[in-house]
């Protein structure tokens, strides 16, 4: 009975999140980008001046809302448990490569689903690459991959990252001169819902993700390893509800909230190989991290310092991508971006191999000590 209740809640959460994602587009967010963790963190990095790509600079309240709602719920439910110390530098590097892979595809796993719901067939290619990357990550998990144990931390340590999100909200509202904003008509950063609407959307999505433990990496991992469909059902629900809302908005407004095609999709390109390769890197690195970008945000709100460091890695990756010409555009991927994705995949293989070998060596030494 409890299991069925949890399954129903996950599906309900997915339905609501899909509706919220599509309505954010109606209220001003870019088409097929009602919700994208990678794109929103990239915009925040630009807003803080970490990169100077003028079309993508804005402090996105949705990210702030996810973290703060996870904090509030975890405190209320007595689940706020600051922990950290599990290979922080490695997590930072992996987070950066997740962002580089996401900006090759132009979206995170969440936006991949949103793009599918908008009829963007390029997202199917991305999904194939994403699942393949997860499968490779699972291979290393089965071999014993681990980044080591976490350690209990003091509550103030776990509250630092959520506090920084509150500071970002104040900066967004105050809009001081040292914060950068994309000018009207200047690119995706200029397209956004009102602050209150975006923040409310983030709070809703964060609350539902915290309660349901939604994670695309966890969903495919459980499906592949255990034939368990509970988590992946939540993302199917997101796809279905967002699709229905997009079709309804298209019919009601006459605007193209749904366009079933490869070409002409908003903030997307049609290079199938590199769409797949980018999402392969996202899936592979996210398995090594233990969760997708959405899950990392929720965990950071719950006091997980390793996840907070991962988010900082994502932010640094966004700055690096735009400062060094790695990010794709509607015209397609860049040469530098292709090289960076290949390097990212190689680095993930190296990290996975070294941390798998280390664990095997620890078991061998332990056996020798016992004998």
């Amino acid at each position: 009975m409890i299991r069925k209740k949890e399954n129903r809640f996950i599906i309900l959460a997915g339905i609501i999140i899909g509706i919220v994602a599509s309505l954010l587009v109606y209220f001003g967010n870019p088409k097929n980008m009602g919700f994208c963790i990678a794109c929103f963190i990239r915009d925040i990095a630009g807003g803080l001046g970490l990169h100077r790509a003028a079309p993508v600079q804005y402090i996105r309240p949705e990210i702030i809302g996810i973290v703060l709602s996870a904090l509030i719920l975890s405190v209320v439910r007595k689940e706020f448990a600051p922990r950290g110390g599990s290979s922080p530098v490695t997590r930072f590097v992996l987070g950066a490569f997740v962002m580089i892979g996401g900006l090759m595809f132009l979206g995170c796993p969440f936006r991949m689903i949103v793009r599918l719901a908008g009829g963007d067939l390029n997202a199917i290619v991305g999904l194939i690459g994403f699942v393949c990357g997860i499968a490779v990550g699972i291979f290393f998990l089965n071999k014993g991959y681990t980044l080591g144990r976490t350690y209990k931390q003091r509550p103030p340590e776990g509250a630092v990252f959520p506090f920084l999100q509150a500071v970002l909200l104040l900066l967004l509202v105050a809009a001081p001169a040292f914060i950068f904003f994309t000018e009207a008509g200047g690119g995706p950063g200029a397209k956004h819902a009102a602050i209150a609407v975006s923040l409310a959307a983030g709070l809703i999505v964060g609350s539902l993700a915290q309660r349901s433990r939604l994670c695309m990496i966890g969903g495919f991992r459980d499906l592949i390893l255990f034939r368990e469909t509970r988590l992946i059902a939540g993302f199917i629900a997101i796809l279905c509800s967002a699709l229905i809302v997009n079709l309804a908005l298209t019919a009601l407004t006459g605007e193209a909230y749904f366009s079933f095609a490869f070409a002409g999709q908003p903030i997307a390109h049609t290079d199938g190989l590199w769409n797949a390769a980018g999402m392969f890197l996202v899936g592979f690195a996210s398995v090594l991290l233990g969760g997708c970008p959405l899950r990392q945000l929720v965990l950071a709100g719950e006091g997980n310092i390793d996840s907070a460091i991962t988010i900082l890695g994502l932010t640094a990756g966004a700055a690096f991508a735009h400062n060094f010409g790695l990010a794709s555009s509607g015209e397609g991927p860049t040469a530098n971006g292709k090289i960076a994705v290949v390097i990212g995949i190689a680095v993930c293989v190296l990290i996975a191999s070294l941390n798998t070998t280390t664990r095997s060596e620890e078991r061998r030494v332990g056996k020798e000590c016992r004998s």
Side-chain angles (χ1 to χ4, degrees), residues 61-73:
E62 294 91 341
I63 297 296
I64 299 168
I66 290 173
V67 176
L68 294 183
S69 61
L71 169 67
I72 294 168
L73 268 182

Side-chain angles (χ1 to χ4, degrees), residues 33 56 97 103 136 213 236 267 343 364:
M33 200 191 291
V56 285
F97 278 117
L103 292 181
V136 173
R213 305 292 192 263
I236 294 173
I267 316 174
I343 291 173
R364 183 186 65 80

Side-chain angles (χ1 to χ4, degrees), residues 43-237:
D43 290 356
I44 291 173
L48 295 175
L50 300 179
H51 68 72
R52 299 303 173 93
V56 285
Q57 295 176 320
Y58 181 66
I59 295 177
R60 294 280 180 179
E62 294 91 341
I63 297 296
I64 299 168
I66 290 173
V67 176
L68 294 183
S69 61
L71 169 67
I72 294 168
L73 268 182
S74 64
V75 170
V76 170
R77 301 179 68 200
K78 302 186 186 306
E79 294 177 352
F80 184 74
R83 301 188 65 83
S86 171
S87 305
V89 176
T90 299
R91 291 181 183 277
F92 182 91
V93 171
L94 287 171
F97 278 117
V98 167
M99 179 60 76
I100 288 170
L103 292 181
M104 169 60 73
F105 170 72
L106 292 174
C108 67
F110 198 162
R111 190 186 178 217
M112 181 174 63
I113 298 300
V114 172
R115 284 174 60 173
L116 276 173
D120 186 350
L121 297 178
N122 299 291
I124 297 176
V125 180
L127 178 61
I128 294 171
F130 182 65
V131 174
C132 290
I134 292 174
V136 173
I138 289 174
F139 168 81
F140 285 102
L141 289 180
N142 287 333
K143 293 293 184 179
Y145 167 83
T146 177
L147 285 179
R149 59 170 296 187
T150 60
Y151 301 89
K152 186 176 180 180
Q153 306 288 331
R154 296 182 301 114
E157 185 73 12
V160 170
F161 187 77
F163 173 76
L164 292 177
Q165 299 304 305
V167 172
L168 283 180
L169 181 60
L170 291 176
L171 290 174
L172 172 63
V173 174
F178 58 82
I179 297 298
F180 296 84
F181 295 96
T182 301
E183 295 181 1
K191 298 179 180 179
H192 50 79
I195 293 174
V197 173
S198 297
L199 181 61
L203 291 169
I204 292 170
V205 171
S207 299
L208 293 171
Q210 197 275 340
R211 287 292 307 276
S212 63
R213 305 292 192 263
L214 274 174
C215 176
M216 278 202 72
I217 295 299
F220 280 107
R221 179 199 60 211
D222 291 352
L223 180 64
I224 294 171
L225 286 178
F226 312 116
R227 303 296 186 269
E228 170 61 65
T229 60
R230 189 167 62 97
L231 284 177
I232 204 67
F235 285 92
I236 294 173

